[in-house]
Amino acid sequence: DTEVTQTPKHLVMGMTNKKSLKCEQHMGHRAMYWYKQKAKKPPELMFVYSYEKLSINESVPSRFSPECPNSSLLNLHLHALQPEDSALYLCASSLWTGGNQPQHFGDGTRLSIL
Amino acid sequence: AQSVSQHNHHVILSEAASLELGCNYSYGGTVNLFWYVQYPGQHLQLLLKYFSGDPLVKGIKGFEAEFIKSKFSFNLRKPSVQWSDTAEYFCAVTLKNTGFQKLVFGTGTRLLVSP
């Protein structure tokens, strides 16, 4: 079992809906990440939080809004998504953002936009 | 731009066969190197990592990888695969000493091991 917990596991939403993805870790990690993974493709970085502050936004559309309420939680708020946003959304964490820190991944939320 | 190439997109092996998956990266500086595995329906898991020192790195489940700096390669090997090794394997790279070090994944190799 992974030490990074993501909920929900599956989410189907319409283009006008507002929903949130949640991620939680209790390993004391201070870096948390959101990735998007399309079918048969590698994960692509979306956002990085370091010590609860957004440090990297990889030019992600504003319909995706991340939030880090505390060092253990990471949310991704979704609004007015497009069908092409259907994908597996992965959360990861690491001790800090140093490149030699392995990232621990959650199981992901499989998102389908109708 | 930094990139990671995995030459084999699909590999099919019989149990007990030897495995070698290729990984090359394009960056002239110092890198950290990782292999991750994604079993069907499961999360990405770290197999092994290389930061410095002995270029032959041993990981979990009998996997090893060798860093060859002159070839910009970090190939993954296993002497004898098992049916349970069926999974997708991703090579990944971060750069050292460049501020935030983004983890860049290769395109992945799907391994199918037939019993």
Side-chain angles (χ1 to χ4, degrees):
Chain A
D1 287 341
T2 178
E3 296 164 305
V4 177
T5 304
Q6 289 188 244
T7 55
K9 292 194 182 302
H10 301 274
L11 179 62
V12 179
M13 57 187 286
M15 288 191 283
T16 58
N17 293 155
K18 283 185 180 181
K19 296 285 185 184
S20 297
L21 309 185
K22 297 186 184 304
C23 175
E24 190 168 0
Q25 58 85 17
H26 295 288
M27 295 179 281
H29 289 175
R30 303 312 297 270
M32 295 186 78
Y33 311 80
W34 281 114
Y35 288 85
K36 176 181 179 179
Q37 187 177 19
K38 299 284 277 185
K40 301 183 180 181
K41 297 287 186 185
E44 294 180 351
L45 183 67
M46 299 174 72
F47 301 104
V48 180
Y49 272 83
S50 178
Y51 290 85
E52 295 93 70
K53 292 191 189 310
L54 182 64
S55 59
I56 299 286
N57 176 339
E58 289 282 290
S59 303
V60 178
S62 60
R63 56 186 185 269
F64 294 91
S65 174
E67 179 197 19
C68 190
N70 60 56
S71 60
S72 300
L73 294 175
L74 186 66
N75 297 323
L76 186 62
H77 302 298
L78 314 173
H79 175 54
L81 295 195
Q82 304 297 309
E84 61 265 27
D85 296 323
S86 297
L88 181 67
Y89 288 84
L90 297 169
C91 175
S93 70
S94 62
L95 198 57
W96 59 293
T97 55
N100 63 353
Q101 296 300 315
Q103 294 181 23
H104 298 249
F105 286 83
D107 288 332
T109 293
R110 192 161 297 281
L111 176 65
S112 298
I113 306 301
L114 301 178
Chain B
Q2 179 189 12
S3 67
V4 182
S5 300
Q6 293 181 242
H7 322 295
N8 316 100
H9 296 293
H10 294 90
V11 173
I12 301 174
L13 294 173
S14 299
E15 275 193 314
S18 64
L19 170 71
E20 181 160 3
L21 301 183
C23 173
N24 287 89
Y25 61 93
S26 62
Y27 180 68
T30 307
V31 294
N32 300 301
L33 298 154
F34 305 83
W35 275 98
Y36 281 86
V37 61
Q38 193 168 28
Y39 297 104
Q42 294 189 28
H43 61 279
L44 276 162
Q45 301 174 42
L46 182 69
L47 266 182
L48 46 78
K49 57 187 184 290
Y50 173 79
F51 303 142
S52 64
D54 188 345
L56 185 61
V57 179
K58 293 194 184 299
I60 60 171
K61 306 188 181 189
F63 286 91
E64 65 178 32
E66 184 175 12
F67 170 54
I68 303 179
K69 189 174 181 179
S70 60
K71 294 185 178 180
F72 298 89
S73 70
F74 190 55
N75 292 353
L76 181 71
R77 300 195 292 250
K78 186 171 184 179
S80 176
V81 294
Q82 302 173 309
W83 175 79
S84 57
D85 293 323
T86 294
E88 186 150 22
Y89 293 81
F90 291 98
C91 181
V93 173
T94 61
L95 307 179
K96 286 185 183 177
N97 304 319
T98 55
F100 169 70
Q101 295 171 45
K102 178 179 171 180
L103 188 63
V104 177
F105 288 88
T107 50
T109 297
R110 286 182 179 269
L111 171 66
L112 175 62
V113 180
S114 57

